[in-house]
């Protein structure tokens, strides 16, 4: 599993994200497990999970290279962290890359 972290400006409370790639180059497809966005709101830090569990590949799954993901606000997917955590806001991509 590859994990990519990107520091970004705060966009407030997100409900949806759109992720895609242009499909250029051999083996450009990849499997996206989820996107996790961590942000600080006041004294508390939150984590919002956007599950995907799909391929972004024109030759795998349904052939799409673009996905609109909705935040999973139920269960344990939205967590509040302890005060004092740093490195916010952060976008984390959990991907698995397979050779096909």
């Amino acid at each position: 599993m590859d994990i990519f972290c990107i520091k970004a400006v705060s966009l407030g409370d997100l409900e949806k994200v759109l992720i895609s790639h242009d499909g250029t180059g051999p083996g450009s497809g990849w499997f996206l497990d989820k996107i996790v966005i961590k942000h600080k709101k006041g004294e508390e830090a939150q984590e919002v999970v956007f599950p995907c569990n799909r391929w972004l590949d024109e030759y795998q799954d349904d052939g799409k290279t673009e996905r609109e993901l909705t935040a999973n606000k139920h269960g344990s997917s939205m967590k509040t962290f302890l005060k004092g955590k740093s490195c916010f806001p952060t976008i984390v991509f959990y991907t698995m890359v397979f050779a096909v």
Side-chain angles (χ1 to χ4, degrees):
M1 179 183 313
D2 294 318
I3 299 174
F4 302 92
C5 295
I6 302 168
K7 289 187 180 182
V9 298
S10 178
L11 298 174
D13 293 332
L14 297 177
E15 296 178 6
K16 292 183 180 184
V17 295
L18 182 67
I19 187 160
S20 66
H21 66 83
D22 62 8
T24 59
S28 62
W30 43 282
F31 184 86
L32 177 62
D33 181 33
K34 61 188 169 187
I35 295 175
V36 178
I37 298 182
K38 299 177 182 181
H39 61 96
K40 193 170 185 177
K41 192 173 188 179
E43 289 296 315
E44 295 182 338
Q46 291 188 335
E47 177 180 279
V48 182
V49 178
F50 295 85
C52 181
N53 201 34
R54 304 285 302 265
W55 281 93
L56 282 84
D57 189 331
E58 59 187 28
Y59 302 108
Q60 298 289 329
D61 200 351
D62 60 1
K64 294 183 180 179
T65 58
E66 179 177 286
R67 302 269 178 215
E68 182 177 284
L69 310 177
T70 304
N72 186 348
K73 296 184 179 183
H74 304 289
S76 61
S77 60
M78 185 173 284
K79 303 173 184 173
T80 301
F81 291 93
L82 299 174
K83 296 177 183 178
K85 290 254 184 175
S86 60
C87 195
F88 292 96
T90 302
I91 302 170
V92 182
F93 298 91
Y94 292 85
T95 66
M96 293 181 206
V97 180
F98 300 95
V100 288

